Amino acid sequence: MNSTVSAAASTLEPLFVALSYGLDTLTRAFYAVPGSAVVARYVKSSHQNDPGRTVLELVLFLFAVATLLQGRRRTDSSAKHFIKFSDKEIDELVEDWRPEPLMEPLQPEEEVELAKIPVISGPTGVRPTLVTGQQVVNLASFNFVGLVGNEHIKTRSVETLRKYGLGSCGPPGFYGTIDVHVDLERDISSFLGTESTIIYSQAFATGSSVIPAFCKKGDVIVADAGVGFGIRKGIQNSRSTVRYYRHNDMQHLEEVLHSMDRERRKKRAPLTRRFIITEAIFDHDGTIADLPRIVELKKKYKHRLILDETTSFGSLGKHGRGLTEHHGVPVTDVDILYGSLAHGLSAAGGFCSGSNVMVEHQRINSSSVVFSAAMPPLLAVCGSEGINILRNDASIIPRLQTNVRAARTVLEKTQGIEIPSDYQSPVIHICLRPRSGAATLAPPEQQSYFFAEKQPAATLHYAREERVLQQIVDEALRGGVLITRAHRLKGQENPEPRPSIRLAITGAMSVKETEDAVRVVREAIDRVLTAEAQA
Amino acid sequence: MSPPNIKLPDTLHSINPQIMRRGRSASIVKVEEVGENANEELDQTASLNSEWVNYKGAWLIHPVLMLMGKVFIDTVPGVNQELSWTIVNLCYLTFSYIMFHYVTGIPFGTEINGVYDDLTMWEQIDSGAQYTPAKKWLFCMPIGLFLLSTHFTRYDPILFGINFTALVVLGVLPKLPQLHRQRIRLMPEEDFSSAPTPIGPPTPKAYD
């Protein structure tokens, strides 16, 4: 027993000797370093006869030192997407790379679509001539009161062109405002009965610029689900909280307003600005908003109303003043009214009209006013003249309305189509009735409150519908009437609206001409749909 | 280009008051990650708020404030060394916790699109990079203070425990890179019904 222990001890003895020698050397080296005595004293006094604490402190100290010695890491975003390639892989990738062409070659259906666009030779109007030589009746362009090609307006424009030149040389706030712009603003205000107006140089940019000027992050917007692309972009830019209500469903609007109010009260959130946004005549389907009810609700729940009168200014109401005149609602009830001069008046640009304070705010805070060039003066004069004509000629809108009624009567009996547009809307959208068995429309309980159904099945049906509608358009063109499908930004409108043919009735034609033209359209629809049904 | 596949949130439940109900989740503690906002890739301005931590003055202010605090508390009669160091320690940890780990977002301006609304100052420093000089300094500060305090006093176990726990919970744990962008929720509520704002599809990038 003793011998084994001593044997073990003797084998391990060199090891112990080495260890003690090493420790000795370390200690001597440690005390040789200047200041080591301080550290030794510090550690000894920190120890305080409590090894547990010392261990903890030591652990902390080592952890801190380890942290200090770590190298700097990359930032969040670059770390997440960073892939480390080896040199060989990098070389391979460089070898394989082929630059993309500036423009992708067209798909066959895109080529077909491009070829089918009719080209008008000369100025557009009620009866334009195509480059093929055929003269057609134009039910595609917006020309509600027949101001396109108006001789008086043309003369005045040429005068203005000679006086001021073409461009306005700058944004409205900086050198670009000319007296004709101020006159146009005054004309619109007096026409509508509002305090003042501001002009925008592009109609489509009006909505997406007015909305972010007033709606900021933290504000609440309640918008109709059927609003168009410009408004949606404006809402997206504004970063406000948005809730959509079912298209033109006043009951649902009230529910949404009520629930948002309750939510805010429950959270005891601070009061922010609240808006209701709707269009007068909806661009997607031609329905007309129920303005009296909306005004009633807005007063009850204390929201501000933003009304987009793009298609309705110059086409609704006794004199063309828009939805307010149409429904008999005082224009002061609409807090922010904006519209387009390009659709109804065939001039260019847009406007926003209302109280002085509201309009003056936009002169500095609306991005389109500050950063875009002002409207060319000759187009401002076109606008002013258009308003004069609307004001003085009392028969112009009734003519339009008669034509609209005539067109709707002709289209009433057509099989296989649905017309979602309001009976008084001069913009008529013709959609295909979904085939029985092919359920394009989900049952109302399942329908989300966007007015188109869920995406994947829809896109399949939409492709087929678009094809059929294009055939109808071609057929009608053969019959001498120029109509068009409603063109959308594919893949960017959320949700995708149903494909439709958009008719824009004009008051410049006589009733009989309108009826004849729409009859041609109806016959085209019948022919194409029967051919489809047989196929 | 094929149209993006957009899944719209089902917001029916948020409107109907009968359906809207908040349940309790099964777990007592839940660790949630603060996700990356869609705008964060586009937005470059977090550093505007957190640049100042890199200045040497901001580094120096920590020991200066600690010293001033210690001196001030020492002037109060009837405060012994243990209590004084404990108070300095706890105050430093509390204030630095509130400043760096509790308050979220950016204090000035609403021009920035609310990208950093859920991020604490610590997570905004250097755009989320870890082990940067500023972070290393701020990391060592509370540890250094604690070690100093244990050196100069004779803590009884309770005070030591308080100091040490406070250091770990308020000083060290929130600063760990493992807990970057993580939030610990006690007794969390399951949130079914908050309907997010339906945001439209982003405008497609030019090089998609």
Side-chain angles (χ1 to χ4, degrees):
Chain A
M1 191 58 174
N2 252 338
S3 59
T4 31
V5 173
S6 56
S10 61
T11 35
L12 289 174
E13 202 173 317
L15 188 61
F16 291 148
V17 169
L19 272 177
S20 65
Y21 181 69
L23 228 54
D24 235 4
T25 330
L26 274 176
T27 328
R28 247 180 294 125
F30 181 67
Y31 280 112
V33 174
S36 56
V38 179
V39 177
R41 208 178 39 234
Y42 183 89
V43 175
K44 238 179 270 195
S45 64
S46 289
H47 177 60
Q48 299 177 20
N49 291 328
D50 191 345
R53 273 187 232 191
T54 313
V55 167
L56 273 178
E57 290 168 22
L58 196 65
V59 164
L60 262 183
F61 179 70
L62 290 175
F63 186 57
V65 168
T67 309
L68 279 174
L69 292 176
Q70 294 277 2
R72 184 194 172 125
R73 304 274 194 272
R74 293 171 174 278
T75 63
D76 273 340
S77 40
S78 46
K80 231 174 277 222
H81 302 140
F82 183 71
I83 311 172
K84 184 135 180 64
F85 287 118
S86 69
D87 278 344
K88 189 160 155 310
E89 287 173 324
I90 293 178
D91 286 339
E92 275 176 32
L93 285 172
V94 169
E95 277 296 311
D96 287 338
W97 178 73
R98 294 277 168 272
E100 277 181 26
L102 263 179
M103 200 195 84
E104 294 286 332
L106 290 175
Q107 308 280 347
E109 58 266 8
E110 286 174 337
E111 276 188 23
V112 163
E113 204 174 308
L114 202 58
K116 290 227 169 95
I117 297 178
V119 180
I120 297 179
S121 127
T124 180
V126 177
R127 280 173 199 288
T129 317
L130 302 180
V131 283
T132 53
Q134 181 189 13
Q135 198 190 32
V136 291
V137 174
N138 190 351
L139 283 184
S141 318
F142 289 130
N143 185 13
F144 301 131
V145 289
L147 290 175
V148 171
N150 184 305
E151 286 304 323
H152 172 72
I153 295 186
K154 268 204 257 187
T155 325
R156 286 282 292 129
S157 310
V158 171
E159 271 173 34
T160 319
L161 180 62
R162 288 198 195 288
K163 183 174 176 192
Y164 291 114
L166 179 58
S168 54
C169 303
F174 183 67
Y175 202 55
T177 301
I178 305 179
D179 60 349
V180 288
H181 295 124
V182 179
D183 287 340
L184 176 59
E185 288 177 358
R186 226 194 5 244
D187 283 340
I188 298 178
S189 315
S190 71
F191 184 55
L192 284 178
T194 52
E195 280 181 13
S196 65
T197 306
I198 183 171
I199 306 284
Y200 283 80
S201 37
Q202 207 212 356
F204 188 72
T206 312
S208 55
S209 191
V210 167
I211 295 174
F214 292 100
C215 309
K216 302 292 185 192
K217 184 167 183 304
D219 292 343
V220 170
I221 295 180
V222 177
D224 190 301
V227 287
F229 188 67
I231 296 184
R232 283 185 191 268
K233 279 296 168 219
I235 292 176
Q236 195 182 344
N237 276 345
S238 69
R239 312 231 183 262
S240 316
T241 318
V242 61
R243 294 278 182 272
Y244 291 97
Y245 65 92
R246 267 191 288 267
H247 180 52
N248 245 351
D249 186 346
M250 295 298 113
Q251 173 74 8
H252 194 220
L253 171 60
E254 176 151 26
E255 280 173 24
V256 172
L257 289 173
H258 183 69
S259 84
M260 299 219 69
D261 195 39
R262 239 205 10 250
E263 222 176 278
R264 186 190 60 79
R265 261 201 288 263
K266 211 158 60 151
K267 283 197 212 149
R268 272 182 283 271
L271 197 61
T272 53
R273 288 176 289 263
R274 296 169 290 182
F275 298 89
I276 300 179
I277 301 186
T278 180
E279 293 186 30
I281 299 183
F282 285 89
D283 190 37
H284 284 171
D285 56 4
T287 45
I288 296 185
D290 183 0
L291 192 61
R293 182 84 180 108
I294 295 180
V295 168
E296 195 188 313
L297 284 173
K298 103 166 172 131
K299 284 184 178 154
K300 180 173 169 195
Y301 288 96
K302 310 255 190 331
H303 280 55
R304 288 188 171 88
L305 178 59
I306 301 182
L307 187 64
D308 175 336
E309 293 235 37
T310 306
T311 356
S312 63
F313 181 71
S315 62
L316 281 187
K318 203 160 65 110
H319 278 273
R321 290 192 174 93
L323 196 65
T324 44
E325 197 181 26
H326 178 80
H327 278 294
V329 170
V331 75
T332 41
D333 277 347
V334 179
D335 303 282
I336 301 172
L337 192 154
Y338 70 88
S340 152
L341 303 166
H343 293 71
L345 296 184
S346 304
F351 68 91
C352 183
S353 194
S355 63
N356 268 334
V357 180
M358 192 270 293
V359 164
E360 288 306 311
H361 173 84
Q362 288 173 60
R363 293 209 195 272
I364 309 238
N365 287 307
S366 178
S367 30
S368 186
V369 173
V370 173
F371 296 115
S372 291
M375 203 194 294
L378 69 99
L379 292 175
V381 165
C382 285
S384 292
E385 291 299 324
I387 291 182
N388 270 341
I389 293 178
L390 277 182
R391 214 201 294 257
N392 298 329
D393 190 347
S395 66
I396 199 168
I397 299 281
R399 264 209 305 273
L400 171 64
Q401 284 300 318
T402 328
N403 284 353
V404 170
R405 273 194 293 273
R408 289 304 291 263
T409 324
V410 171
L411 283 173
E412 222 160 50
K413 311 284 190 346
T414 321
Q415 304 281 349
I417 60 165
E418 274 176 359
I419 302 183
S421 313
D422 193 285
Y423 211 68
Q424 287 165 313
S425 153
V427 172
I428 303 176
H429 280 263
I430 302 176
C431 302
L432 291 181
R433 194 184 299 268
R435 265 196 287 222
S436 56
T440 327
L441 283 175
E445 312 86 57
Q446 275 181 27
Q447 225 174 23
S448 62
Y449 54 44
F450 297 107
F451 73 113
E453 53 280 15
K454 286 192 176 52
Q455 299 307 308
T459 35
L460 212 58
H461 288 290
Y462 285 179
R464 183 210 136 238
E465 285 189 8
E466 300 242 355
R467 231 182 336 108
V468 174
L469 290 173
Q470 188 57 43
Q471 289 173 356
I472 297 175
V473 169
D474 299 334
E475 190 64 35
L477 188 59
R478 275 193 283 273
V481 174
L482 179 62
I483 57 176
T484 178
R485 280 186 299 128
H487 289 287
R488 307 288 171 206
L489 290 156
K490 286 219 175 47
Q492 290 193 39
E493 302 233 19
N494 177 18
E496 296 276 343
R498 276 177 80 187
S500 62
I501 289 180
R502 187 191 68 199
L503 294 183
I505 306 295
T506 162
M509 299 196 285
S510 69
V511 183
K512 181 151 184 334
E513 288 169 341
T514 315
E515 283 178 351
D516 287 341
V518 182
R519 208 167 288 133
V520 169
V521 176
R522 185 178 77 186
E523 285 161 11
I525 296 175
D526 284 336
R527 267 200 293 270
V528 170
L529 287 183
T530 34
E532 271 287 304
Q534 286 164 0
Chain B
M1 252 188 275
S2 60
N5 207 344
I6 304 158
K7 283 187 63 76
L8 298 168
D10 179 16
T11 39
L12 192 57
H13 292 283
S14 73
I15 303 293
N16 193 337
Q18 270 78 25
I19 298 183
M20 183 162 95
R21 209 175 284 127
R22 281 166 185 265
R24 292 231 166 254
S25 96
S27 49
I28 297 179
V29 172
K30 190 164 105 170
V31 179
E32 290 177 345
E33 182 175 349
V34 176
E36 195 173 278
N37 202 310
N39 287 320
E40 209 171 305
E41 255 183 69
L42 308 170
D43 215 329
Q44 310 287 335
T45 48
S47 47
L48 209 64
N49 182 35
S50 56
E51 260 306 292
W52 60 271
V53 298
N54 287 319
Y55 303 151
K56 294 304 175 283
W59 288 21
L60 205 59
I61 199 71
H62 287 270
V64 165
L65 278 178
M66 284 179 207
L67 191 65
M68 278 170 51
K70 179 80 178 60
V71 165
F72 177 70
I73 292 176
D74 275 347
T75 60
V76 175
V79 168
N80 55 1
Q81 282 298 305
E82 276 81 32
L83 196 58
S84 162
W85 277 108
T86 310
I87 291 176
V88 172
N89 205 10
L90 289 179
C91 281
Y92 177 78
L93 286 170
T94 319
F95 286 129
S96 65
Y97 181 79
I98 291 176
M99 181 161 192
F100 285 106
H101 301 289
Y102 189 72
V103 177
T104 58
I106 299 182
F108 17 72
T110 47
E111 297 315 313
I112 302 164
N113 314 314
V115 180
Y116 302 104
D117 267 356
D118 292 322
L119 295 186
T120 61
M121 170 69 87
W122 186 258
E123 290 155 356
Q124 291 175 28
I125 292 177
D126 295 323
S127 317
Q130 302 300 333
Y131 299 116
T132 65
K135 282 191 174 174
K136 286 182 189 172
W137 175 259
L138 289 171
F139 194 86
C140 294
M141 276 287 94
I143 295 180
L145 179 62
F146 176 75
L147 289 176
L148 266 183
S149 68
T150 54
H151 172 70
F152 285 119
T153 61
R154 309 200 144 273
Y155 279 139
D156 59 341
I158 297 179
L159 270 184
F160 183 85
I162 293 174
N163 275 315
F164 188 72
T165 325
L167 173 73
V168 169
V169 169
L170 295 180
V172 172
L173 276 185
K175 295 187 164 74
L176 288 178
Q178 285 72 23
L179 283 182
H180 181 67
R181 280 182 182 245
Q182 309 287 346
R183 302 273 179 270
I184 300 181
R185 302 212 182 285
L186 297 171
M187 308 290 280
E189 290 181 342
E190 286 295 357
D191 211 4
F192 308 115
S193 69
S194 69
T197 305
I199 303 175
T203 347
K205 296 195 265 266
Y207 337 101
D208 218 339

